[in-house]
mmCIF file of all heavy atoms in Angstrom:
data_model
loop_
_atom_site.group_PDB
_atom_site.id
_atom_site.type_symbol
_atom_site.label_atom_id
_atom_site.label_comp_id
_atom_site.label_asym_id
_atom_site.label_seq_id
_atom_site.Cartn_x
_atom_site.Cartn_y
_atom_site.Cartn_z
ATOM 1 N N ALA A 203 -23.126 -45.785 -31.486
ATOM 2 C CA ALA A 203 -24.163 -45.163 -30.665
ATOM 3 C C ALA A 203 -24.083 -45.640 -29.216
ATOM 4 O O ALA A 203 -24.236 -44.848 -28.278
ATOM 5 C CB ALA A 203 -25.542 -45.478 -31.240
ATOM 6 N N ILE A 204 -23.827 -46.925 -29.030
ATOM 7 C CA ILE A 204 -23.703 -47.474 -27.680
ATOM 8 C C ILE A 204 -22.511 -46.850 -26.961
ATOM 9 O O ILE A 204 -22.598 -46.490 -25.781
ATOM 10 C CB ILE A 204 -23.567 -49.012 -27.727
ATOM 11 C CG1 ILE A 204 -24.889 -49.636 -28.168
ATOM 12 C CG2 ILE A 204 -23.134 -49.571 -26.378
ATOM 13 C CD1 ILE A 204 -24.808 -51.121 -28.471
ATOM 14 N N ALA A 205 -21.399 -46.725 -27.658
ATOM 15 C CA ALA A 205 -20.206 -46.120 -27.061
ATOM 16 C C ALA A 205 -20.488 -44.680 -26.636
ATOM 17 O O ALA A 205 -20.065 -44.234 -25.565
ATOM 18 C CB ALA A 205 -19.043 -46.173 -28.042
ATOM 19 N N TYR A 206 -21.204 -43.955 -27.471
ATOM 20 C CA TYR A 206 -21.537 -42.552 -27.165
ATOM 21 C C TYR A 206 -22.478 -42.475 -25.962
ATOM 22 O O TYR A 206 -22.258 -41.678 -25.044
ATOM 23 C CB TYR A 206 -22.199 -41.900 -28.378
ATOM 24 C CG TYR A 206 -22.632 -40.472 -28.121
ATOM 25 C CD1 TYR A 206 -21.700 -39.437 -28.079
ATOM 26 C CD2 TYR A 206 -23.972 -40.166 -27.905
ATOM 27 C CE1 TYR A 206 -22.094 -38.130 -27.835
ATOM 28 C CE2 TYR A 206 -24.383 -38.864 -27.660
ATOM 29 C CZ TYR A 206 -23.437 -37.848 -27.621
ATOM 30 O OH TYR A 206 -23.828 -36.565 -27.365
ATOM 31 N N ILE A 207 -23.516 -43.304 -25.957
ATOM 32 C CA ILE A 207 -24.465 -43.317 -24.834
ATOM 33 C C ILE A 207 -23.762 -43.676 -23.537
ATOM 34 O O ILE A 207 -23.964 -43.041 -22.495
ATOM 35 C CB ILE A 207 -25.606 -44.312 -25.114
ATOM 36 C CG1 ILE A 207 -26.471 -43.829 -26.277
ATOM 37 C CG2 ILE A 207 -26.463 -44.512 -23.862
ATOM 38 C CD1 ILE A 207 -27.416 -44.886 -26.817
ATOM 39 N N ASP A 208 -22.916 -44.687 -23.599
ATOM 40 C CA ASP A 208 -22.198 -45.133 -22.406
ATOM 41 C C ASP A 208 -21.290 -44.031 -21.877
ATOM 42 O O ASP A 208 -21.170 -43.828 -20.665
ATOM 43 C CB ASP A 208 -21.382 -46.383 -22.741
ATOM 44 C CG ASP A 208 -21.133 -47.255 -21.527
ATOM 45 O OD1 ASP A 208 -22.066 -47.443 -20.738
ATOM 46 O OD2 ASP A 208 -20.001 -47.735 -21.377
ATOM 47 N N LYS A 209 -20.658 -43.301 -22.772
ATOM 48 C CA LYS A 209 -19.772 -42.213 -22.384
ATOM 49 C C LYS A 209 -20.564 -41.111 -21.673
ATOM 50 O O LYS A 209 -20.146 -40.595 -20.639
ATOM 51 C CB LYS A 209 -19.071 -41.654 -23.618
ATOM 52 C CG LYS A 209 -18.091 -40.510 -23.341
ATOM 53 C CD LYS A 209 -17.364 -40.133 -24.624
ATOM 54 C CE LYS A 209 -16.328 -39.043 -24.373
ATOM 55 N NZ LYS A 209 -16.935 -37.740 -24.052
ATOM 56 N N ILE A 210 -21.722 -40.758 -22.229
ATOM 57 C CA ILE A 210 -22.559 -39.719 -21.636
ATOM 58 C C ILE A 210 -23.036 -40.143 -20.244
ATOM 59 O O ILE A 210 -23.026 -39.356 -19.295
ATOM 60 C CB ILE A 210 -23.774 -39.410 -22.538
ATOM 61 C CG1 ILE A 210 -23.302 -38.824 -23.870
ATOM 62 C CG2 ILE A 210 -24.738 -38.460 -21.837
ATOM 63 C CD1 ILE A 210 -22.543 -37.531 -23.745
ATOM 64 N N ILE A 211 -23.458 -41.389 -20.133
ATOM 65 C CA ILE A 211 -23.944 -41.889 -18.841
ATOM 66 C C ILE A 211 -22.827 -41.844 -17.796
ATOM 67 O O ILE A 211 -23.024 -41.436 -16.658
ATOM 68 C CB ILE A 211 -24.480 -43.319 -18.979
ATOM 69 C CG1 ILE A 211 -25.797 -43.296 -19.768
ATOM 70 C CG2 ILE A 211 -24.700 -43.957 -17.613
ATOM 71 C CD1 ILE A 211 -26.356 -44.658 -20.088
ATOM 72 N N CYS A 212 -21.632 -42.283 -18.189
ATOM 73 C CA CYS A 212 -20.501 -42.289 -17.262
ATOM 74 C C CYS A 212 -20.116 -40.868 -16.816
ATOM 75 O O CYS A 212 -19.710 -40.667 -15.685
ATOM 76 C CB CYS A 212 -19.295 -42.961 -17.915
ATOM 77 S SG CYS A 212 -19.476 -44.749 -18.119
ATOM 78 N N GLU A 213 -20.263 -39.922 -17.706
ATOM 79 C CA GLU A 213 -19.847 -38.552 -17.400
ATOM 80 C C GLU A 213 -20.872 -37.765 -16.592
ATOM 81 O O GLU A 213 -20.527 -36.967 -15.721
ATOM 82 C CB GLU A 213 -19.547 -37.801 -18.698
ATOM 83 C CG GLU A 213 -18.270 -38.247 -19.393
ATOM 84 C CD GLU A 213 -17.996 -37.453 -20.662
ATOM 85 O OE1 GLU A 213 -18.868 -36.658 -21.064
ATOM 86 O OE2 GLU A 213 -16.924 -37.665 -21.258
ATOM 87 N N TYR A 214 -22.138 -38.006 -16.884
ATOM 88 C CA TYR A 214 -23.165 -37.131 -16.328
ATOM 89 C C TYR A 214 -24.179 -37.799 -15.393
ATOM 90 O O TYR A 214 -24.987 -37.099 -14.774
ATOM 91 C CB TYR A 214 -23.944 -36.444 -17.462
ATOM 92 C CG TYR A 214 -23.048 -35.595 -18.329
ATOM 93 C CD1 TYR A 214 -22.703 -36.000 -19.614
ATOM 94 C CD2 TYR A 214 -22.547 -34.399 -17.853
ATOM 95 C CE1 TYR A 214 -21.871 -35.219 -20.410
ATOM 96 C CE2 TYR A 214 -21.713 -33.616 -18.631
ATOM 97 C CZ TYR A 214 -21.383 -34.014 -19.916
ATOM 98 O OH TYR A 214 -20.574 -33.252 -20.690
ATOM 99 N N CYS A 215 -24.137 -39.112 -15.324
ATOM 100 C CA CYS A 215 -25.123 -39.787 -14.476
ATOM 101 C C CYS A 215 -24.441 -40.555 -13.358
ATOM 102 O O CYS A 215 -23.245 -40.820 -13.406
ATOM 103 C CB CYS A 215 -25.968 -40.765 -15.304
ATOM 104 S SG CYS A 215 -26.905 -39.959 -16.606
#
Side-chain angles (χ1 to χ4, degrees):
I204 290 170
Y206 177 75
I207 293 167
D208 206 43
K209 181 175 183 291
I210 296 299
I211 289 174
C212 289
E213 288 181 353
Y214 299 107
C215 299

